[in-house]
Amino acid sequence: MHNLDMTKSLLIAGGGIAGMAAGFAAARAGWRVNVFERAAAFSEVGAGIQLGPNVTRILQNWGLADALHQVAAFPSGLHARNMQTGEVLATLPVRDAESTYGAPYVTIHRADLHDLLLRAAHAQGVSVHGGAAVQAATCTADEAVFDVLENNQPQRYTADAAVAADGVWSPLRQQLLGDGLPAFTGHIAYRALVAQADLPTHLRIHDIHVWMGPDAHVVSYPVRGGEWLNVVCLAEGRLLDQDANSLQALQAWNAQKSEAQTRVELRRALQGACTALTELIEACSDWRLWPLCGRPAMRGPQEHVQGRIALLGDAAHPMLPYLAQGAGMAVEDAAVLGDQLSVASGGGDVPTCLQQFAQARWQRNARVQQRAIRNGNIFHAQGPVRFARNMGLRMLGARLMDVPWLYGYNAGKL
C-alpha cells in the first residue's frame, strides 16, 4: 500500500496527451501527482493534429509558448476545396487567430505535443511510472484507490483523487460507468507522413487543405516546423468485413495493410479526385490505418466524474476528427480540472470540486462531439447537400468556417 501523503495527491491512469496535460495542471495547482502508463516507454503514436487558439491559449498560460514555437508549424490559411475539381471554395485565414482570439492556430505532430507536455510535467515534479497498468480504480468517501500491476508486481496506491485518462478503450470507464465498449463508426483514417524535401516543389504544402468529396475527404498540413507534411484520408465503410468485428483490429491505432492493398483502397475512396490531390496521395507511402471508434455525445456530468475519480479526454468523450478538437478538448479538460484542484488545495472539498469540473465541461464536450459528427456529414455530402455546401462556402467564406464559440473559449484561469 502506497499512501501518497502530501497536502493533496492525485493518481492518473494513462500517460498520453490527456494524462500528461492533467498531471502538469494538477502539479501547478500544488498537488502531488503520480501518472501510470501501461507502456514501458512514454511515447505518443499517430501523426499530426491541429490546435486552435482555444488550446494554444492554455499552453501560453502554462508558460509553454516557447516550447510550442520550437516544434509546431504556423499555417496562414485553412482552405476548403472541392476534391474533384481542386477549386478552393473558401479560406479561413488562421494566421489571424492571434489578433482575433489572442492565441495562434498551429499544426503539430502528436509526438511533439506529447513530448512537450511530458517534459513540462517532469519539470513540475510529476512522478511518471512506465510499465504500470492500472487494473482497478475505486473510491471511498475519503480517498481514491488504484490497483496497479507495476513491473509485474501488484501495487495499491491511495490518494485524494484520481483521473482515468486511459483512452477511447478505457477499461476504467467500463468499471466506473459500465456503459459498454465504443462502437466502430464506419469511418477509417489512412494516415501518412512525408518529408517536404522528398516532394516535388508543387506538392509542398505550408497551409491546411481540406479536400471534400463523396463519402471521403483528405486533410493535409505541415508539422515539425513545416519540414514534414501530414496527410490523412478519411473514408466511410472501408474497413474489411473480417476486421470490423475484431476488437484487436479496431484498437490498433497504427495498423498497416500491404502497400498495394492500401493503395487500392485509397484509389477507390478518392475516385475522380483532381490531379493535384491524386499526385499528393501517390507521393506518400507507409500509410497507417486508424479505424475510428466512438460513443454517443456526453449525456451528463456523471460521464466525467464518479465520486473522487474524473474521466478526461477520450475516456470521457471520444470524438470524430472532423472538428480537429480531440486533443484540444483533452487539454481543455486538464486546464479546468487544474483550476478546480487549485480550489481544493485552498481547502475546498475534493468531490465538490470534481463535480464543478464535470458541470463546467460536459456540455461543451458534448457540443464538440455533435459538431464533429455534423461536419463529417457535411464534408462527405453528395447531391443537393453538397451543392448547398459549396455555394455557402463560396458566398460566406471565412464567416462560415470560423467557429467563435469554439476558438474564443477560455478554459483555464490559472
Side-chain angles (χ1 to χ4, degrees):
M1 171 88 70
H2 298 259
N3 193 340
L4 307 175
D5 54 345
M6 277 189 66
T7 310
K8 287 283 188 296
S9 54
L10 181 71
L11 309 174
I12 298 177
I17 287 170
M20 296 320 304
F24 175 75
R28 287 182 81 243
W31 284 54
R32 178 175 176 180
V33 182
N34 277 259
V35 176
F36 302 92
E37 167 56 40
R38 180 182 301 272
F42 272 65
S43 63
E44 181 64 74
V45 296
I49 48 178
Q50 302 176 53
L51 299 178
N54 55 306
V55 190
T56 57
R57 180 182 299 112
I58 295 167
L59 299 178
Q60 287 178 343
N61 292 345
W62 285 349
L64 303 177
D66 288 345
L68 182 67
H69 269 267
Q70 291 173 22
V71 292
F74 292 76
S76 295
L78 191 163
H79 309 283
R81 305 183 68 160
N82 183 315
M83 181 189 291
Q84 280 88 354
T85 66
E87 175 194 359
V88 176
L89 299 165
T91 295
L92 178 66
V94 292
R95 65 177 172 275
D96 295 343
E98 188 93 55
S99 57
T100 305
Y101 296 110
Y105 193 112
V106 309
T107 51
I108 187 171
H109 194 290
R110 287 187 72 93
D112 292 338
L113 176 61
H114 181 262
D115 185 60
L116 182 157
L117 292 169
L118 178 61
R119 289 170 183 265
H122 274 307
Q124 201 70 37
V126 173
S127 296
V128 173
H129 306 246
V134 181
Q135 299 188 305
T138 54
C139 63
T140 66
D142 301 316
E143 65 184 10
V145 182
F146 272 5
D147 288 307
V148 184
L149 190 64
E150 191 169 356
N151 299 317
N152 294 317
Q153 297 295 317
Q155 306 278 2
R156 174 163 281 192
Y157 290 84
T158 64
D160 295 284
V163 165
D166 50 344
V168 65
W169 294 93
S170 170
L172 299 187
R173 180 184 178 119
Q174 298 310 305
Q175 295 174 25
L176 296 166
L177 298 179
D179 59 352
L181 293 168
F184 176 50
T185 61
H187 296 227
I188 186 166
Y190 299 81
R191 302 175 293 105
L193 277 168
V194 58
Q196 300 263 27
D198 292 342
L199 291 171
T201 306
H202 71 285
L203 291 180
R204 296 174 191 174
I205 295 174
H206 299 286
D207 276 357
I208 307 163
H209 294 261
V210 181
W211 315 71
M212 299 179 292
D215 294 330
H217 78 282
V218 174
V219 184
S220 58
Y221 52 80
V223 295
R224 304 216 140 142
E227 293 184 6
W228 289 77
L229 186 67
N230 181 63
V231 183
V232 186
C233 171
L234 295 119
E236 296 186 36
R238 307 295 173 187
L239 197 64
L240 294 180
D241 289 341
Q242 64 262 34
D243 295 337
N245 296 315
S246 165
L247 189 63
Q248 190 173 2
L250 295 179
Q251 285 183 311
W253 164 254
N254 237 20
Q256 275 186 297
K257 296 183 180 179
S258 73
E259 191 76 14
Q261 189 177 14
T262 301
R263 291 201 178 279
V264 167
E265 293 180 13
L266 283 168
R267 285 170 187 149
R268 187 172 64 216
L270 305 178
Q271 199 168 2
C274 64
T275 303
L277 180 56
T278 302
E279 287 183 357
L280 176 61
I281 296 297
E282 293 293 334
C284 298
S285 58
D286 194 29
W287 290 92
R288 303 298 172 112
L289 277 62
W290 172 28
L292 304 182
C293 298
R295 296 181 177 278
M298 295 190 83
R299 288 160 286 201
Q302 75 281 358
E303 294 185 28
H304 252 318
V305 168
Q306 292 283 312
R308 288 177 174 263
I309 304 175
L311 291 91
L312 264 66
D314 285 347
H317 45 72
M319 49 188 71
L320 289 170
Y322 301 140
L323 195 54
Q325 284 288 331
M329 289 304 105
V331 174
E332 282 190 11
D333 283 351
V336 175
L337 180 69
D339 281 354
Q340 289 301 325
L341 296 183
S342 183
V343 172
S345 290
D349 176 66
V350 171
T352 301
C353 290
L354 292 181
Q355 284 299 324
Q356 292 291 332
F357 155 78
Q359 291 291 347
R361 290 300 299 161
W362 82 266
Q363 287 170 304
R364 176 166 170 85
N365 281 318
R367 187 178 185 184
V368 174
Q369 285 174 297
Q370 290 162 343
R371 182 65 176 260
I373 292 168
R374 179 177 159 230
N375 273 12
N377 294 333
I378 293 170
F379 288 177
H380 296 178
Q382 301 187 53
V385 176
R386 177 186 171 209
F387 179 80
R389 175 201 71 199
N390 292 354
M391 285 299 295
L393 285 168
R394 289 187 189 108
M395 292 171 64
L396 297 173
R399 280 179 294 165
L400 199 61
M401 297 172 68
D402 198 9
V403 196
W405 65 263
L406 179 64
Y407 298 140
Y409 177 83
N410 195 355
K413 310 302 184 290
L414 288 176

